[in-house]
Amino acid sequence: MKNNIYNYFIYYRMMINGTEQGCGDLIITTDTKITDFKTIEGIHWWLDEIKTQICKEINAVLNASNDDRIITNDNIIISNYKFIN
């Protein structure tokens, strides 16, 4: 069975209390393609999975710099994405 791996270039903004605190971009790897979903619920699930990966990366950086803030999916806005492969 073939394992499908898809890479996306994600541009995101981080919001806290309605104010943009920063922005950035990451390459995120997933085993699902956004075009595999045919419903809004499926697309929302996919976006939440991507946001979760972004939060893990941001929180690791914050933790390494002794910053006690915790970033959740609610703090992330995906501004744009591009399918790489």
Side-chain angles (χ1 to χ4, degrees):
M1 178 177 214
K2 181 181 174 189
N3 289 334
N4 294 326
I5 301 295
Y6 305 102
N7 295 307
Y8 287 88
F9 181 80
I10 307 287
Y11 184 77
Y12 65 89
R13 294 183 293 148
M14 183 175 63
M15 309 291 283
I16 297 177
N17 296 326
T19 303
E20 185 173 331
Q21 299 296 309
C23 59
D25 51 63
L26 289 170
I27 294 176
I28 299 290
T29 301
T30 181
D31 61 356
T32 54
K33 209 173 183 182
I34 193 168
T35 55
D36 292 343
F37 299 104
K38 305 300 180 204
T39 66
I40 295 296
E41 292 81 13
I43 293 169
H44 281 275
W45 176 86
W46 185 86
L47 290 170
D48 278 344
E49 290 296 308
I50 298 299
K51 287 180 181 182
T52 298
Q53 289 186 48
I54 293 169
C55 289
K56 286 180 184 177
E57 295 290 333
I58 293 171
N59 286 323
V61 171
L62 291 174
N63 187 39
S65 64
N66 295 321
D67 189 323
D68 61 354
R69 291 181 290 176
I70 302 294
I71 304 302
T72 66
N73 285 11
D74 293 335
N75 300 110
I76 301 297
I77 297 172
I78 295 176
S79 300
N80 204 351
Y81 69 91
K82 180 177 181 178
F83 177 67
I84 299 172
N85 66 341

